[in-house]
């Protein structure tokens, strides 16, 4: 009898070990960012699974996979399926884990009140039951995350992160080790103890590398770059950001790639390399647009494929019904009344089927429209943040102007006007329905308005004549920068003790050619060379135009370009 009981116990333990091993393989695919493979793996094993505990874990695995792909509806569906089995089997351990997972599900979507409610349900279970260390480590880790993001209590974050780390190390739970260390590093970073924070983050990155945790490694670089930048290690932060951007691009972490390119842009600005900063600003904008369009196209394709497949199945079903009815008609004339009745019933069914699928199609279109609106909102939010960043730069430069000597003011104003020119372009692009072209007159008039105070201060008469027509974004930006640079150079170098100071600017479109003409009546100083407009020549190369400069009567700059 004892031998029989021992045999059953061994079989029982072996069965549970098998279940854990099946789930662990799926978790490893998630850690390696092989999300499509993970979905197929979990779905295939669900078809074969007979054990309820294994089914729960497989449903949770599917929910986690869809959550990482930002498909929250599908994720919630599989969490709900898992919870149904949990309540049916009264599995306390997995019910506790379910509430912890749902807390993270809501936290990832910034629904912190719902996330707190889920953790409170887990806390009630914990007070009445002894919970496995593996699930307890995840619980402490998510509590630490909420104390960071929602309650903003650093001591509590540190307390729960250390509890989670202790259990995770004991269990060799790599995912929890990583995120516990990340929370601890975040606490030190917020306390401005950057040295300790950087030390933790370097340990985290090395840990992720050695365990092939690709997504986690990409996440750690975000915090690492921020800590380096805040500790003024700008060159190192830039090198890490460049590496992280390539790493994310290689592994198709599109969202991380966008963040790293934003970091690179900001770091180049801080290192006074504006040319590179503008280059990455433009690339980041393109990447954001491409990412949003990719998601939208992917969703449309999936919906169309599903709809066409169902429509085809329905047509086959209808044809099969018609064939059956015809066979019945040929077999017996006596069944005519029944056949007519059957056809009438089938017609009604077909009508209901068509109505059903039209309704379903309408719902799918509404969902697509909702997602489209969300994408437009995200793009609008990104543009809004870019505009805020540019305005912040302008405010900081204005503050510096107030603090600096008069001798430094001209150079700072020169930088300020160039940034204002780019900010103006972004504002016009953001407001315009056409994202490829901008009305040149409105844009150049805004640049001209930025110089109105300087013209008044220097007693300069300015004539501004610009025709209204649309140009491509890149051409518009370069022309705006040329105008800005010419105005700055005239104010700074052209006029020397003159009573009559005048600047004339004319820009028009004739016979599909744009004609640019800028002139001032400044006087040349003998034996003093005219400053070479290097930046203007570089901008002309970008426009692919040959410019002409004349100093016979003041200064005149012209070029033409075919459209």
């Amino acid at each position: 009898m004892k031998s029989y009981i021992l045999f059953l116990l061994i079989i029982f333990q072996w069965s549970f070990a098998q279940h854990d091993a099946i789930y662990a393989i799926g978790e490893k695919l998630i850690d390696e960012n092989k999300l499509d493979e993970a979905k197929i793996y979990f779905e295939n094993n669900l078809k074969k699974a007979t054990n309820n505990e294994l089914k729960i874990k497989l449903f949770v695995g599917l929910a986690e996979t869809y959550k990482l792909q930002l498909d929250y509806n599908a994720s919630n569906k599989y969490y709900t399926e898992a919870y149904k089995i949990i309540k049916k089997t009264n599995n306390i351990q997995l019910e506790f884990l379910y509430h912890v997972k749902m807390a993270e599900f809501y936290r990832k979507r910034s629904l912190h009140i719902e996330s707190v409610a889920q953790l409170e349900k887990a806390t009630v279970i914990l007070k009445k039951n002894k919970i496995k260390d593996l699930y307890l480590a995840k619980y402490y880790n998510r509590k630490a995350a909420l104390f960071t993001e929602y309650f903003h209590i650093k001591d509590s974050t540190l307390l729960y992160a250390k509890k989670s780390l202790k259990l995770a190390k004991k269990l060799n739970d790599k995912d929890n080790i990583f995120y516990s260390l990340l929370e601890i590093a975040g606490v030190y970073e917020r306390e401005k103890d950057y040295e300790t924070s950087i030390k933790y983050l370097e340990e985290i990155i090395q840990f992720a590398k050695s365990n092939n945790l690709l997504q986690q490694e990409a996440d750690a670089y975000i915090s690492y770059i921020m800590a380096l930048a805040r500790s003024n290690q700008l060159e190192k932060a830039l090198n890490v950001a460049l590496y992280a951007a390539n790493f994310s691009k290689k592994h198709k972490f599109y969202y991380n790639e966008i963040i790293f390119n934003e970091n690179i842009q900001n770091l180049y600005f801080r290192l006074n390399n504006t040319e590179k900063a503008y280059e990455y600003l433009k690339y980041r904008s393109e990447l954001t647009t491409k990412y949003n369009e990719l998601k939208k196209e992917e969703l449309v394709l999936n919906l169309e494929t599903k709809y066409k497949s169902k429509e085809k199945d329905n047509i086959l079903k209808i044809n099969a019904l018609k064939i059956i009815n015809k066979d019945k008609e040929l077999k017996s004339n006596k069944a005519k009344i029944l056949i007519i009745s059957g056809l009438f019933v089938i017609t009604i069914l077909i009508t209901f089927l068509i109505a059903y699928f039209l309704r379903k199609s309408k719902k799918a279109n509404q969902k697509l429209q909702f997602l489209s609106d969300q994408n437009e909102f995200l793009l609008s939010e990104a543009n809004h943040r870019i505009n805020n960043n540019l305005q912040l730069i302008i405010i900081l430069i204005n503050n510096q102007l107030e603090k600096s000597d008069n001798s430094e003011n001209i150079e700072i104003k020169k930088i300020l006007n160039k940034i204002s020119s780019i900010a103006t372009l972004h504002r016009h692009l953001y407001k315009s329905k056409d994202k490829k072209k901008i009305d040149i007159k409105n844009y150049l008039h805004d640049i001209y308005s930025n110089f109105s105070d300087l013209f008044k201060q220097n007693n300069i008469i300015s004539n501004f004549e610009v025709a209204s027509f649309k140009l491509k974004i890149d051409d518009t930006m370069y022309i705006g920068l040329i105008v800005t640079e010419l105005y700055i150079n005239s104010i700074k170098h052209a006029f020397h003790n003159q009573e009559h100071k005048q600047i004339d600017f004319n820009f028009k479109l004739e016979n599909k050619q744009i004609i640019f003409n800028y002139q001032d009546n400044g006087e040349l100083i003998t034996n003093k060379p005219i400053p070479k407009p290097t930046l203007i020549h570089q901008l002309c190369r970008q426009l692919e135009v040959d410019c002409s400069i004349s100093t016979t009567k003041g200064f005149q700059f012209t070029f033409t370009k075919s459209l």
Side-chain angles (χ1 to χ4, degrees):
M1 186 66 181
K2 288 182 179 179
S3 299
Y4 180 71
I5 293 170
L6 182 62
F7 174 75
L8 288 177
L9 185 63
I10 291 168
I11 292 295
F12 183 75
Q13 289 177 338
W14 177 82
S15 176
F16 273 93
Q18 285 288 97
H19 299 160
D20 290 340
I22 290 170
Y23 181 66
I25 293 169
E27 275 196 321
K28 189 172 186 295
L29 290 171
I30 293 174
D31 289 339
E32 293 174 355
N33 198 45
K34 298 175 181 177
L35 300 182
D36 290 330
E37 290 181 35
K39 280 196 294 189
I40 294 168
Y41 176 81
F42 285 128
E43 285 168 354
N44 288 340
N45 278 282
L46 259 173
K47 293 174 185 175
K48 299 181 286 185
T50 55
N51 178 273
N52 282 328
E53 184 166 338
L54 178 58
K55 284 182 180 179
I56 292 166
K57 290 181 177 179
L58 292 171
F59 276 127
V60 169
L62 270 172
E64 291 286 291
T65 307
Y66 279 106
K67 182 184 72 178
L68 290 170
Q69 290 184 326
L70 307 182
D71 188 345
Y72 295 117
N73 288 333
S75 179
N76 189 50
K77 170 190 167 185
Y78 287 113
Y79 276 131
T80 303
E81 291 297 324
Y83 190 62
K84 286 178 184 176
I85 304 173
I86 287 169
K87 295 305 288 182
K88 184 178 176 181
T89 58
N90 195 29
N91 190 318
I92 298 298
Q93 297 293 331
L94 290 179
E95 185 176 355
F96 177 84
L97 177 63
Y98 166 81
H99 290 304
V100 173
K101 292 286 187 182
M102 286 304 293
E104 173 59 14
F105 173 76
Y106 287 120
R107 187 201 67 82
K108 190 173 179 68
R109 298 164 66 192
S110 299
L111 300 172
H112 293 113
I113 294 173
E114 291 84 350
S115 182
V116 170
Q118 290 294 328
L119 277 185
E120 285 175 353
K121 290 179 181 179
T123 303
V124 171
I125 296 172
L126 179 60
K127 287 178 180 178
K128 298 178 182 178
N129 302 276
K130 182 173 175 59
I131 301 299
K132 291 179 182 179
D133 286 349
L134 177 63
Y135 304 152
L136 201 56
K138 296 180 187 296
Y139 166 78
Y140 287 140
N141 187 274
R142 293 306 83 203
K143 287 215 48 147
L146 277 176
F147 274 109
T148 296
E149 295 178 16
Y150 184 63
F151 297 111
H152 306 294
I153 303 173
K154 288 181 259 187
D155 291 342
S156 296
T157 299
L158 206 56
L159 171 68
Y160 285 112
K162 286 182 176 179
K163 280 187 174 185
S164 176
L165 181 61
K166 184 178 178 181
L167 288 172
K169 284 185 174 179
K170 174 184 172 184
L171 299 165
N172 193 28
D173 183 353
K174 295 170 184 176
D175 189 59
N176 264 326
I177 290 171
F178 175 86
Y179 284 110
S180 298
L181 286 169
L182 197 61
E183 292 295 341
I184 293 168
V187 171
Y188 287 114
E189 194 266 333
R190 282 184 289 280
E191 289 179 345
K192 298 184 180 180
D193 184 356
Y194 300 121
E195 185 178 348
T196 306
S197 176
I198 289 168
K199 179 182 174 184
Y200 269 103
L201 287 164
E202 286 173 346
E203 180 185 344
I204 291 165
I205 291 168
Q206 190 55 46
F207 177 80
K209 281 178 180 288
S210 59
N211 289 283
N212 199 30
L213 303 174
L214 302 178
Q215 179 65 63
Q216 288 88 333
E217 183 180 346
D219 291 343
Y221 283 127
I222 296 172
S223 300
Y224 186 42
I225 293 163
M226 189 182 298
L228 288 170
R230 288 180 177 173
S231 63
N232 288 320
Q233 299 183 50
L234 301 184
E235 290 287 352
K236 186 174 181 180
L238 178 60
N239 289 331
V240 174
L242 288 166
Y243 171 81
N246 287 328
F247 178 84
S248 297
K249 185 176 182 180
K250 177 183 176 183
H251 295 290
K252 298 181 180 179
F253 299 145
Y254 298 117
Y255 182 71
N256 292 74
E257 188 182 357
I258 292 168
I259 292 174
F260 293 133
N261 276 283
E262 183 177 5
N263 290 334
I264 294 166
Q265 170 213 329
N266 292 333
L267 287 164
Y268 271 126
F269 265 125
R270 290 182 66 181
L271 290 165
N272 297 320
N273 190 338
T274 53
E275 186 177 348
K276 279 286 186 182
Y278 293 142
E279 177 185 332
Y280 276 91
L281 170 63
K282 183 180 175 184
Y283 178 65
R284 191 195 68 181
S285 298
E286 290 172 355
L287 197 64
T288 303
T289 303
K290 183 180 177 182
Y291 176 69
N292 289 333
E293 287 177 353
L294 187 67
K295 285 294 176 186
K296 191 187 292 184
E297 288 171 5
E298 183 181 341
L299 177 62
V300 171
L301 186 63
N302 288 338
L303 288 173
E304 285 180 350
T305 303
K306 287 179 182 177
Y307 179 77
K308 286 178 181 178
S309 176
K310 288 180 180 178
E311 190 177 36
K312 189 176 180 181
D313 289 340
N314 291 329
I315 292 169
L316 290 172
K317 287 178 184 177
I318 292 166
N319 289 336
L321 288 171
K322 287 181 178 179
I323 291 168
I324 291 168
N325 287 324
K326 285 181 180 180
D327 288 342
K328 286 180 179 179
E329 190 178 2
L330 290 171
K331 285 178 181 178
S332 176
N333 290 328
K334 294 178 182 180
K336 281 184 179 180
I337 296 172
L338 292 173
I339 291 170
I340 292 168
S341 301
L343 286 171
F344 179 72
V345 171
I346 289 167
T347 304
I348 294 172
L349 286 173
I350 291 169
T351 304
F352 277 111
L353 281 170
I354 292 171
Y356 170 76
F357 284 108
L358 285 173
R359 187 178 174 187
K360 199 165 187 179
S361 174
K362 185 178 179 182
K363 285 185 178 178
N365 288 334
Q366 287 173 344
K367 182 179 178 183
L368 180 60
Q369 183 61 43
F370 172 74
L371 291 172
S372 176
D373 291 342
Q374 277 192 326
N375 284 334
E376 287 180 11
F377 170 76
L378 289 171
L379 183 59
S380 173
E381 191 67 15
N383 282 323
H384 180 65
R385 290 190 181 189
I386 292 167
N387 188 55
N388 285 350
N389 288 340
L390 289 168
Q391 293 304 319
L392 179 59
I393 292 168
I394 291 169
I395 290 167
L396 291 172
I397 294 174
N398 275 322
N399 288 341
Q400 186 62 36
L401 271 171
E402 293 174 4
K403 296 176 184 178
S404 62
D405 297 328
N406 288 332
S407 59
E408 298 175 348
N409 280 356
I410 293 174
E411 290 301 320
I412 296 174
K413 284 181 179 178
K414 186 174 180 181
I415 296 169
L416 178 60
N417 282 312
K418 289 175 184 176
I419 294 172
S420 295
S421 174
I422 293 168
T424 300
L425 175 66
H426 181 267
R427 187 170 65 253
H428 279 267
L429 176 60
Y430 175 51
K431 291 180 179 178
S432 174
K433 290 182 180 179
D434 185 355
K435 302 301 181 185
K436 295 182 179 179
K437 291 184 177 181
I438 283 182
D439 189 299
I440 191 70
K441 181 177 181 179
N442 294 336
Y443 171 56
L444 292 180
H445 188 271
D446 280 358
I447 292 175
Y448 171 75
S449 298
N450 291 339
F451 283 89
S452 58
D453 289 337
L454 284 172
F455 291 148
K456 288 177 183 177
Q457 289 172 16
N458 291 277
N459 297 319
I460 298 172
I461 298 169
S462 177
N463 296 315
F464 178 88
E465 292 181 15
V466 176
S468 179
F469 58 93
K470 289 192 174 184
L471 277 180
K472 291 189 294 185
I473 299 299
D474 287 348
D475 290 347
T476 304
M477 180 180 70
Y478 296 135
I479 289 168
L481 288 171
I482 289 172
V483 172
T484 301
E485 187 70 11
L486 288 169
Y487 276 144
I488 290 168
N489 286 346
S490 291
I491 293 167
K492 184 177 178 182
H493 301 293
F495 307 110
H496 306 281
N497 301 319
Q498 288 178 239
E499 288 185 5
H500 179 67
K501 305 173 185 177
Q502 183 170 328
I503 297 174
D504 297 316
F505 174 57
N506 183 279
F507 189 70
K508 58 187 177 180
L509 177 66
E510 287 183 1
N511 300 324
K512 294 185 178 181
Q513 273 202 332
I514 55 174
I515 302 171
F516 185 107
N517 186 31
Y518 175 95
Q519 187 170 5
D520 66 47
N521 68 335
E523 297 176 356
L524 295 175
I525 298 176
T526 310
N527 299 326
K528 185 174 180 181
I530 299 172
K532 185 179 180 181
T534 307
L535 178 57
I536 290 173
H537 281 297
Q538 290 175 347
L539 292 169
C540 286
R541 282 200 295 274
Q542 294 294 330
L543 279 170
E544 298 180 346
V545 298
D546 293 321
C547 62
S548 172
I549 295 175
S550 172
T551 57
T552 307
K553 294 181 180 180
F555 174 89
Q556 184 177 18
F557 173 91
T558 60
F559 70 77
T560 59
K561 178 178 173 66
S562 297
L563 293 181

